[in-house]
Amino acid sequence: MDKFVINGGRRLTGEVLISGAKNAAVAIIPAAILSDGVCRIENIPNITDVSSIIHILQDMGAKIRTVGRSAIEIDSSTVSTCVAPYELARHIRGSYYLLGALLGRFHHAVVTMPGGCNFGVRPIDQHLKGFAALGASYSLEGGMVDVSSEELTGNSVYLDVVSVGATMNIMLAAVRAKGTTVIENAAKEPHIVDLANFLNSMGADIRGAGTDVIKIYGCSYLRGTTYSIIPDQIEAGTYMVAAAATSGDVLVKNVIPKHLESISAKLEEMGVTIEEFDDAVRVTRSGSLNKCNIKTLPHPGFPTDMQPQIAALLSTAKGTSIINESVWDNRFRYVEELKRMGAQISVDGRLAVIEGVDHLNAAPVKATDLRAGAAMLVAALAARGTTQIEDIQHIERGYEDVVEKLCSLGADIKRVHVPEVSVPCAI
């Protein structure tokens, strides 16, 4: 029942350190199951999605030791079951990476259908197509996916649609299969490259990650390793947009600027100044915002996970902006919340038309999903007055220490506990 209370209109200035990538961590942690040794994983973000994945592995018998605030050691030699705990796994999308990891190591996996944010159907048909090509059979019953195989053998897999999850899951299943697996029409996101690098550090032979053709040469043994997760591209982009929304001057540190190019390009088109350094970007804005058209695309296009945040920013840009959401069917649920703050947005299917207004006004709003919650933060920071954001558990699925980081930049934000009110039953 906690909420964020934000007094808007304060200019963000200073430095912010970006945490490890959520979308990489939720795949790399299950990937440790494939190792025959102990894996030390560093730069892990302290967010609820990651803690859920860690708890799942522990419940399945893995020994996990916390090393400092952002590193863990995983010994998967004690994993005693191939069935992921339903209650823990059903709330997060990343739980489906347990399918590929368990299938690759033990040739059997039973995992719930993916959860996470509700903005469209999350089909796993391409995942299952890949598993079947490697020789696995599967069944779906009661919301659980059961995949198994006597032996996994490398094969060619052509993905009918570009799918990040399917690309990574097939990599996990194929890395210890016999022979060579080729994934065509593979996704190219940075966290796919990060997963490949992690597996290669254990002795795997994966080539082509980051291109649309990935080759995996199967091996029978993977050693333990020490590996540091890449910075979070979407967290970095969110702070970049927040700096722009508040006419701020923020140095976003611990980033890979190349991963941010599509975001930086659109911000520059809007009149925001971006300076790139080796592992940081500086975001400054002094004038008004220009209108801009956005179409979300698979990497290296503009990321769908940044679409709500950029919409909040465009709400106060001069002129008419158009957003074309080409990845998810139902990603505009946050629009009604922005309209409560005075935004003028109309939605038609996968298109949103934004008529820029002079300013946004504070209002009580809610986070309808993770990135929608980030959009509410951006809007609240720029708005006049005090905004209250409810359902902040969605935000904390993907943003580490968001209150502390924003406060360090000069924001007036606090987390407030709201006691639950019991309602008497009618007789």
Side-chain angles (χ1 to χ4, degrees), residues 172-328:
L172 291 169
V175 72
R176 292 186 62 153
K178 290 186 176 180
T180 303
T181 298
V182 179
I183 307 173
E184 297 183 80
N185 198 31
K188 298 179 280 191
E189 270 67 10
H191 39 288
I192 291 174
V193 179
D194 209 33
L195 175 62
N197 289 341
F198 172 69
L199 293 170
N200 284 343
S201 74
M202 294 195 293
D205 188 354
I206 301 174
R207 307 177 192 182
T211 75
D212 58 3
V213 178
I214 300 175
K215 294 183 179 181
I216 304 117
Y217 299 89
C219 59
S220 59
Y221 172 86
L222 292 177
R223 61 179 176 269
T225 189
T226 297
Y227 189 81
S228 182
I229 291 172
I230 59 171
D232 196 302
Q233 166 201 23
I234 305 303
E235 185 194 16
T238 301
Y239 283 102
M240 292 169 70
V241 169
T246 61
S247 298
D249 183 350
V250 175
L251 184 68
V252 185
K253 301 173 66 177
N254 186 37
V255 300
I256 300 173
K258 186 171 181 58
H259 293 172
L260 304 171
E261 285 179 347
S262 62
I263 302 167
S264 297
K266 286 300 177 181
L267 288 176
E268 288 179 327
E269 188 177 334
M270 296 171 67
V272 180
T273 300
I274 308 291
E275 295 178 74
E276 290 189 0
F277 304 94
D278 288 343
D279 61 352
V281 292
R282 183 184 179 191
V283 182
T284 55
R285 175 192 154 203
S286 56
S288 58
L289 291 168
N290 304 320
K291 65 180 181 179
C292 180
N293 294 336
I294 304 277
K295 182 176 182 178
T296 63
L297 291 166
H299 188 80
F302 192 88
T304 182
D305 280 356
M306 281 300 304
Q307 185 256 94
Q309 300 92 306
I310 207 77
L313 182 60
L314 287 170
S315 294
T316 57
K318 288 187 176 181
T320 303
S321 302
I322 299 174
I323 294 180
N324 183 345
E325 173 56 55
S326 69
V327 179
W328 292 108

Side-chain angles (χ1 to χ4, degrees), residues 29-51:
I29 292 170
I33 291 173
L34 292 159
S35 172
D36 293 289
V38 177
C39 294
R40 178 182 171 122
I41 306 172
E42 301 173 345
N43 200 34
I44 291 177
N46 183 23
I47 54 178
T48 55
D49 267 19
V50 168
S51 62

Side-chain angles (χ1 to χ4, degrees), residues 1 36 45 47 71 94 115 124 134 137-138 161 164 167-168 187 190-191 199 241 284 298 308 314 317 344 368 417-418:
M1 294 296 291
D36 293 289
I47 54 178
I124 61 167
L134 300 177
S137 58
Y138 60 86
V161 294
V164 173
T167 300
M168 297 172 86
H191 39 288
L199 293 170
V241 169
T284 55
L314 287 170
Q344 294 186 11
T368 55
H417 178 67
V418 182

